[in-house]
Each structure stands twice: as structure tokens, then as C-alpha cells.
Amino acid sequence: MDYSNTFNHRGSSYDSAMQRFPFARANEFQALFSGIDMGNVREVLDIPAGGGYLRPYLPAGVRLHEFDFSAEFAAKKASVNLIADAGELPASAFDLAVSLAAIHHIDEKASFLSAIVRCLVPGGLGCIADVVADSAEASFLDGFVARYNGSGHSGKYMQYGQGPIHALLEGIACSLCDYELRSCPWVFADGAEMVAFVRALFNLSGIDNASIYRELETVLGVSQVGTKVMLNWTLVYAVLKKCPDSAANGIGCT
């Protein structure tokens, strides 16, 4: 796993972007709960939680448990607990577990997903969202971001398709409830705000603002919608449901 190394290096800059523009990525967070009935959800796990950004998107009364692999992030917010491995999570403890835009930093994806399912109550849901391989987002991260963030970027992205996701989940006691690409554009007041956010989020240096804007426009796409500037961003969202017993019945278990 290179998640901890990555964000021990640039976690402060990432957190500053999220604190300064807390709702720029609101569409990403809201899409986590698309089609999920939150009425009976009481215990929610966020892993890795970064500096703790999920709370505004949860209903009142839900208890949020935040864990992260980076000491830099855990130091930013008292509610975020440092954890070395997802296998340390308590078993059968959460109704819903979410992991947003992080699994491309994790080598052992099957082990990570298995740990997520293990920590769910029977019938509980796990929602995993991330950049997919061969996408504009992957090209931007492994190209432009890698050149200018001071530590490089080489994501281990999931392949989009039924074959790859089923292979990844083989032997895990869950069913695949949903698996789809969702458009979740980042939203800004203007182009200057967009560039400031992207610069801080990815800790970009040695590059001027105009060049950042051109890269965003060329590789990802930028549009004006009303008074807002929108940066195209698409993630794949997978929703896993833990089987009602502990047997590893595989995909399609009920």
C-alpha cells in the first residue's frame, strides 16, 4: 500500500483544499448514497477518511466512524483514527461502509474489500468509488499530477467491466448490488477557484495557473453552467451487500 506514504507527503495540502472549498466535490460524496435507503443506517464507516469530510452528507443521528492510514490526516482531526491495516477493523460493526477515491492507492484490493465486507453487519452495504483505468481522470493523475506534485503518481486503477469486478470479489461473502460509472463534476464559483483547489488538492508546484487551467480544460473538460464552473469528473461506484451468513458464497449470494 502506498496510501500512507502518499498522504504523509501531501496530506496537509490536500486537507487545505478540502477545508477551503468543502463542497467542490459534493457530487462525489452525494453519489455514494444514490439508491441507498439510509432510513435504517445507524453506524457508518469511512475508510480511508482523509481529514474527515463525509459528515455533512449523512443524516442526523447517524454515528460516523472515521479511520485513515496516514498519520498526516489523522493529526488533522481528532475524530479520525489512525489504522495500519483495514484488517484491524471490528467485525460485523457497521451498517454502511464507504471508501471514496482511495482504492487506486491500495495494492491488495481484494484483501481491502474483504476487510470492508467483514466489518459490515449481515446485509450491510459497502460503497466503493474510484477512478477507473484508461479514463481521462487516470490520464490526468498519472500524467500532469505526477509531473508537478513532487512525489509522482502511479495509480493502480480498477478495470471497469463485469469480469474484472467479479474476479476481484471472488471468494468474498457479498453480492454486487450496483456497479456503474457516475458523472460527479467538481463545482466552483469561477476558474480561479477551480485552479486554486486543484493546485492544493494535488500539491502542484513548478507550474503556473494558466497552464493548470489549460490542462484541466484539455484533458478533463471545463464548462460554464449558470454562474458556476464545472470540472468534468467521473468515478465508478460499486455497492456490495454482505451475505446474511459468514460463508464465502461469492457473487450472487442472497
Side-chain angles (χ1 to χ4, degrees):
M1 178 192 298
D2 67 0
Y3 179 95
S4 57
N5 292 332
T6 295
F7 290 104
N8 284 340
H9 171 76
R10 61 180 178 91
S12 290
S13 182
Y14 186 105
D15 187 66
S16 71
M18 294 299 291
Q19 298 299 338
R20 185 179 174 190
F21 308 108
F23 298 108
R25 294 168 60 196
N27 288 320
E28 275 189 51
F29 286 90
Q30 291 166 348
L32 286 167
F33 310 109
S34 177
I36 295 177
D37 181 2
M38 297 292 290
N40 294 320
V41 173
R42 295 293 177 266
E43 308 288 340
V44 174
L45 168 70
D46 185 13
I47 184 168
Y53 315 117
L54 188 64
R55 170 58 70 185
Y57 304 98
L58 294 174
V62 167
R63 286 182 290 271
L64 176 61
H65 306 263
E66 299 166 302
F67 293 87
D68 200 86
F69 307 118
S70 165
E72 185 73 15
F73 273 142
K76 294 294 179 184
K77 190 174 181 182
S79 63
V80 176
N81 302 284
L82 182 63
I83 191 171
D85 188 271
E88 299 174 24
L89 294 168
S92 303
F94 309 105
D95 303 303
L96 176 67
V98 301
S99 185
L100 176 62
I103 199 170
H104 67 273
H105 290 293
I106 297 174
D107 292 324
E108 299 298 329
K109 292 176 175 48
S111 295
F112 178 73
L113 294 175
S114 180
I116 293 293
V117 171
R118 174 184 168 275
C119 78
L120 294 170
V121 300
L125 299 178
C127 185
I128 315 298
D130 206 1
V131 170
V132 294
D134 304 317
S135 63
E137 292 77 15
S139 177
F140 171 71
L141 294 174
D142 289 353
F144 189 77
V145 169
R147 287 196 297 275
Y148 295 106
N149 76 348
S151 59
H153 194 289
S154 181
K156 297 90 174 174
Y157 306 105
M158 294 192 298
Q159 295 286 337
Y160 183 62
Q162 291 297 317
I165 188 66
H166 279 71
L168 192 59
L169 297 175
E170 185 176 358
I172 300 177
C174 69
S175 56
L176 184 63
C177 299
D178 197 4
Y179 185 62
E180 64 179 0
L181 294 172
R182 295 176 186 169
S183 175
C184 41
W186 297 357
V187 182
F188 306 95
D190 52 36
E193 183 176 292
M194 175 181 69
V195 169
F197 178 79
V198 169
R199 179 184 290 280
L201 192 75
F202 298 115
N203 196 33
L204 304 179
S205 61
I207 184 74
D208 61 85
N209 289 342
S211 295
I212 293 176
Y213 189 99
R214 283 196 299 272
E215 183 74 11
L216 297 175
E217 190 173 42
T218 301
V219 177
L220 297 170
V222 176
S223 59
Q224 185 85 32
V225 179
T227 62
K228 301 296 184 181
V229 169
M230 315 281 278
L231 177 65
N232 291 344
W233 200 258
T234 297
L235 300 178
V236 62
Y237 287 76
V239 180
L240 317 177
K241 183 175 183 179
K242 184 174 182 176
C243 295
D245 56 51
S246 60
N249 297 320
I251 297 298
C253 58
T254 59

